[in-house]
């Protein structure tokens, strides 16, 4: 038997070892194997601990190319180490009868499967390696990690966009990935299917031009960390988080994807990202069969379709302190399908549709935001509990706040100004308390609707929701037409308000019953008013 060595040089034609595997077989644990530039066509299997395999020259190419199985496979005990540096791995798998659509379900995770690098266990470092799947003809992963701990530094993993591949498939392992580029895969860039206790960190990487997802986080309660990456030009989502995963997505640039970040039945935290110029929504939160609680904080979200969408009756989102949710082609924030949102301390501006749009029995708390310059209503809402408080709502091209058939809605302690109409409410029940409503181009606050039947889109009549308002302790001034405008069948209480410097301070054209005498005594106005004649209204 040939004696093992601590330093081995692979130099075909002139050295002792004709290929890398011969050197691995001869090495003792802990040996360093240095490989001269050249093309090597035999795959490498590593089962000895502590080996370091590295290219002899920084700029010289060590190419390892085969057409079957893994180019390099590593199988060690849990704490044993291996380091691989400076290799270029090119797989040339021939075509097989494998469906692109279902190939992931067919993976056997065994040592004979086609892939660039297969890691079963141990602590493995890949550094300055290139893995190319550009000539493959059947689906495969570039790096398959089925257990253990893997460090990827300064590596490039490239597909060809014609045959399904995944850059990195990590299953039940720890992964620390830094300064890598994963791109041009027909499936996804990185797929994480890890155990709950697995440690995952992907930092300062470029994950781009993949035809499915950039990064897929797919394990319940696992907490992968994605930080300081550029995730762009992926044809579905830049990042998708599913099945209760709790990914932390921090300080990434996420752009030019179909959707920036998609959360499905999961609870990720999105902090200080720049999510921009995606063709669909910037952030899309939905539920299918499970619940979700998503935190979206400190981000810049702009030039997407909708900035943020939250949808589903078991879906909750905390949207807070985002410095810029603006210039989106539809709404800044859309909450739909019975979802719940807390929207606090954000800057929401100049979206082509609404700043905040609440649809179909949603509920929301909207507090301490600056919402301005949106081309439709700054805030538009429908049915469902709604609290709007301590916001600055201004310079809307349409309404500052528009509500249709609100139920249990409170608007209080806001400053609402320089919109077309400050507040417009049609049907429903609303409390408007302690607001400053001024300098709007038409009315400060208008309330309409009520008893009279209406037609739906099919032309059928339906009974309208009763319209009722409590208007108390507001200051309404310098609006261009009317300060407070009550119309149709609206009823309710108007007390403690101050109205001044409007052409008409208060106008009541309501067919409901108001106590006009009480309104006169309990409100303060200076200037013209338009109230019904005493014999037109009865005191209830």
């Amino acid at each position: 038997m040939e004696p093992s060595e601590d330093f081995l040089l692979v130099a075909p034609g002139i050295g002792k070892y004709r290929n890398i595997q011969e050197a691995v077989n001869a090495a003792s644990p802990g040996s360093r194997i240095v490989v001269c530039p050249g093309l090597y066509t035999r795959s490498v299997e590593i089962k000895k601990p502590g080996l370091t395999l590295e290219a002899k020259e920084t700029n010289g190419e060590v190419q390892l190319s085969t057409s079957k199985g893994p180019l390099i496979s590593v199988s060690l005990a849990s704490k044993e180490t291996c380091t691989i540096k400076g290799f270029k791995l090119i797989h040339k798998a021939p075509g097989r009868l494998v469906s692109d659509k279902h190939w992931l379900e067919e993976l056997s995770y065994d040592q004979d499967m086609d892939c660039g690098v297969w890691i079963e266990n141990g602590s493995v470092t890949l550094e300055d390696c290139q893995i190319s799947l550009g000539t493959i003809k059947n689906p495969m992963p570039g790096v398959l990690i089925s257990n253990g701990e893997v460090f990827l530094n300064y590596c490039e993993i490239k597909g060809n966009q014609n045959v399904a591949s995944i850059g990195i498939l990590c299953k039940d392992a720890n992964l620390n990935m830094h300064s890598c580029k994963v791109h041009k895969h027909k499936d996804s860039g990185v797929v994480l299917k890890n155990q709950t206790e697995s440690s995952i960190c992907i930092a300062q990487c470029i994950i781009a031009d993949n035809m499915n997802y950039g990064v897929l986080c797919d394990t319940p309660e696992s907490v992968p960390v994605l930080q300081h990456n550029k995730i762009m030009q992926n044809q579905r989502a830049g990042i998708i988080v599913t099945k209760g995963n709790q990914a932390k997505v921090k300080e990434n640039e996420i752009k030019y994807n179909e959707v920036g970040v998609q959360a499905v039945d999961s609870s990720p935290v999105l902090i200080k990202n720049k999510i921009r110029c995606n063709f669909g929504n910037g952030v899309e939160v939905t539920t299918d069969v499970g619940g979700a609680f998503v935190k979206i904080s400190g981000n810049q979200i702009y030039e997407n379709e909708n900035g943020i969408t939250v949808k589903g009756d078991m879906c909750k989102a905390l949207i807070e302190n985002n410095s810029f949710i603006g210039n989106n082609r539809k709404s800044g924030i859309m909450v739909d399908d019975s979802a719940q949102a807390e929207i606090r301390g954000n800057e929401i501006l100049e979206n082509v549709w609404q700043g905040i749009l609440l649809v179909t029995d949603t509920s929301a708390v909207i507090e301490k935001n600056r919402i301005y310059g949106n081309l439709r209503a700054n805030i538009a809402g429908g049915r469902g509990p709604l609290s709007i408080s301590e916001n600055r709502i201004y310079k809307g091209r349409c309404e500052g706040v528009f509500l249709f058939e609100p139920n249990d809605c409170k608007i209080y302690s806001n400053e609402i100004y320089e919109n077309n109409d400050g507040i417009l409410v049609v049907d429903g029940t609303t409390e408007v308390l302690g607001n400053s409503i001024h300098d709007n181009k038409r009315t400060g606050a208008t309330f309409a609707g009520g008893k009279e039947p209406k037609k739906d889109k099919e032309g059928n009549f339906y009974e309208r929701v009763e319209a009722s308002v409590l208007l108390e302790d507001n200051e309404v001034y310098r609006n261009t037409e009317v300060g407070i405008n009550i119309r149709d069948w609206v009823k309710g209480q108007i007390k403690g308000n101050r109205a001044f410097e409007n052409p008409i301070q208060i106008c009541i054209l309501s067919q409901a019953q108001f106590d006009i005498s009480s309104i006169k005594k309990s409100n303060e106005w200076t200037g013209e008013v338009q109230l019904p004649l005493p014999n037109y209204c009865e005191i209830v």
Side-chain angles (χ1 to χ4, degrees):
M1 174 183 268
E2 189 174 286
S4 60
E5 306 174 23
D6 293 331
F7 176 86
L8 300 91
L9 178 67
V10 180
I14 58 172
K16 186 174 182 180
Y17 302 104
R18 293 172 298 174
N19 58 59
I20 301 169
Q21 187 63 52
E22 286 185 0
V24 170
N25 293 341
S28 59
S31 295
R32 179 170 170 240
I33 299 171
V34 177
V35 183
C36 290
L39 174 63
Y40 298 84
T41 58
R42 180 177 173 181
S43 59
V44 178
E45 183 178 359
I46 300 170
K47 293 186 176 180
K48 293 178 181 178
L51 297 185
T52 297
L53 284 69
E54 61 181 285
K56 182 174 184 294
E57 299 176 14
T58 303
N59 297 321
E61 283 198 352
V62 174
Q63 291 191 14
L64 178 59
S65 180
T66 66
S67 59
K68 185 178 180 181
L71 296 169
I72 298 176
S73 61
V74 182
S75 180
L76 301 169
S78 61
K79 299 296 182 181
E80 295 176 342
T81 65
C82 175
T83 300
I84 300 167
K85 297 182 179 179
F87 284 20
K88 184 172 184 178
L89 310 178
I90 304 172
H91 210 294
K92 298 179 179 179
R96 297 182 188 175
L97 296 176
V98 179
S99 164
D100 274 8
K101 186 174 181 181
H102 301 293
W103 73 278
L104 265 178
E105 286 77 7
E106 297 171 15
L107 282 181
S108 58
Y109 296 96
D110 60 48
Q111 202 166 350
D112 296 325
M113 68 171 293
D114 291 337
C115 62
V117 178
W118 183 86
I119 299 167
E120 182 183 23
N121 210 336
S123 179
V124 181
T125 299
L126 269 66
E127 189 171 311
D128 290 317
C129 292
Q130 296 180 39
I131 300 171
S132 175
L133 307 179
T135 59
I136 61 172
K137 295 180 181 178
N138 66 282
M140 69 174 65
V143 178
L144 172 61
I145 308 164
S146 65
N147 213 321
E149 181 178 38
V150 176
F151 299 87
L152 288 174
N153 301 316
Y154 303 99
C155 294
E156 179 183 4
I157 305 167
K158 181 181 178 182
N160 66 14
Q161 295 184 329
N162 295 315
V163 178
S165 65
I166 288 173
I168 299 166
L169 174 56
C170 184
K171 182 178 182 294
D172 301 334
N174 298 328
L175 172 64
N176 191 308
M177 181 175 165
H178 189 278
S179 300
C180 296
K181 184 175 183 180
V182 184
H183 62 122
K184 294 189 176 179
H185 294 277
K186 188 177 179 183
D187 200 296
S188 300
V190 180
V191 174
L192 305 173
K193 292 180 173 288
N194 302 86
Q195 295 176 349
T196 300
E197 62 273 14
S198 296
S199 173
I200 305 291
C201 181
I202 300 174
Q204 297 186 13
C205 295
I206 296 172
I207 301 172
D209 294 302
N210 301 291
M211 295 183 71
N212 201 353
Y213 305 115
V215 181
L216 168 60
C217 305
D218 192 37
T219 307
E221 299 182 10
S222 178
V223 189
V225 176
L226 283 64
Q227 187 167 5
H228 295 137
N229 302 288
K230 290 186 177 180
I231 300 174
M232 56 191 182
Q233 296 170 205
N234 299 286
Q235 291 193 17
R236 291 185 68 180
I239 300 171
I240 180 167
V241 187
T242 67
K243 297 179 183 177
N245 193 275
Q246 299 175 19
K248 292 184 178 179
V249 181
K250 303 165 60 178
E251 300 174 322
N252 302 279
E253 185 171 9
I254 303 168
K255 61 183 179 179
Y256 306 130
N257 306 284
E258 179 59 33
V259 176
V261 180
Q262 187 175 10
V264 182
D265 299 328
S266 59
S267 301
V269 177
L270 280 57
I271 302 174
K272 295 184 179 180
N273 301 282
K274 186 179 287 186
I275 302 171
R276 66 182 182 93
C277 302
N278 295 286
F279 304 111
N281 299 319
V283 179
E284 188 174 289
V285 183
T286 59
T287 57
D288 185 11
V289 294
F293 180 81
V294 179
K295 181 179 179 180
I296 304 168
S297 179
N299 303 278
Q300 298 179 48
I301 303 173
Y302 59 96
E303 295 180 14
N304 308 284
E305 186 165 275
N306 294 289
I308 300 170
T309 64
V310 183
K311 185 175 182 180
D313 62 0
M314 298 180 69
C315 193
K316 298 180 181 179
L318 173 60
I319 303 168
E320 64 175 3
N321 300 327
N322 295 284
S323 61
F324 183 30
I325 302 175
N327 300 125
N328 296 290
R329 296 181 297 279
K330 291 186 177 179
S331 299
I333 300 171
M334 183 177 74
V335 186
D336 196 0
D337 195 20
S338 302
Q340 303 174 42
E342 295 183 27
I343 303 170
R344 305 178 189 271
N346 304 282
E347 192 102 350
I348 304 168
L349 66 148
E350 296 180 1
N351 297 284
V352 176
W353 286 15
Q354 298 83 2
I356 300 173
L357 175 61
L358 309 170
V359 188
T360 318
D361 299 316
T362 55
S363 63
V365 174
I366 301 172
E367 182 180 281
K368 296 181 179 178
N369 303 279
R370 291 179 63 196
I371 308 167
Y372 60 96
N374 298 286
L375 269 66
R376 297 190 183 178
N378 278 324
I379 300 174
R383 306 179 189 93
L386 176 60
S387 173
I388 303 172
S389 65
E390 301 182 67
N391 303 282
R392 288 180 62 192
I393 303 168
Y394 61 102
K395 291 187 177 179
R397 301 292 182 88
C398 295
E399 301 84 6
V401 179
F402 171 71
L403 303 177
F404 179 72
E405 297 186 353
N407 177 27
D408 189 18
C409 175
K410 295 182 180 179
I411 304 171
Y412 61 98
S413 302
N414 303 280
E415 186 176 8
I416 303 172
Y417 62 98
E418 296 181 10
N419 306 283
N420 199 37
D421 292 290
I423 299 173
L424 174 59
V425 181
V426 179
D427 297 336
T429 302
T430 313
E431 295 182 9
V432 181
L433 313 171
N435 301 280
S436 176
I437 306 169
H438 62 93
D439 294 293
N440 295 288
K441 296 183 180 68
R442 292 200 312 184
T443 65
T446 293
F447 303 88
K451 194 173 180 180
E452 186 177 318
K454 290 184 70 175
K455 286 184 179 180
D456 60 20
K457 292 180 179 179
E458 286 74 34
N460 302 310
F461 283 96
Y462 67 94
E463 196 69 29
R464 295 171 73 169
V465 175
E466 184 177 71
S468 175
V469 63
L470 170 60
L471 195 64
E472 184 174 351
D473 295 333
N474 300 283
E475 195 167 61
V476 185
Y477 60 97
R478 284 202 308 265
N479 299 286
T480 302
E481 295 183 7
V482 180
I484 299 170
N485 189 23
I486 311 293
R487 307 178 64 85
D488 303 331
W489 292 89
V490 177
K491 64 181 183 179
Q493 298 182 61
I494 304 171
K495 58 184 180 181
N497 302 284
R498 292 183 66 235
F500 55 94
E501 296 184 22
N502 309 286
I504 300 172
Q505 312 313 316
I506 181 168
C507 175
I508 297 180
L509 297 176
S510 175
Q511 299 184 59
Q513 297 172 333
F514 276 91
D515 185 341
I516 300 302
S517 174
S518 176
I519 289 173
K520 289 180 178 180
K521 290 177 182 178
S522 59
N523 296 276
E524 179 184 342
W525 54 69
T526 303
E528 183 179 346
V529 299
Q530 293 183 0
L531 299 176
L533 295 174
N535 64 356
Y536 184 81
C537 294
E538 299 177 4
I539 298 175
V540 179

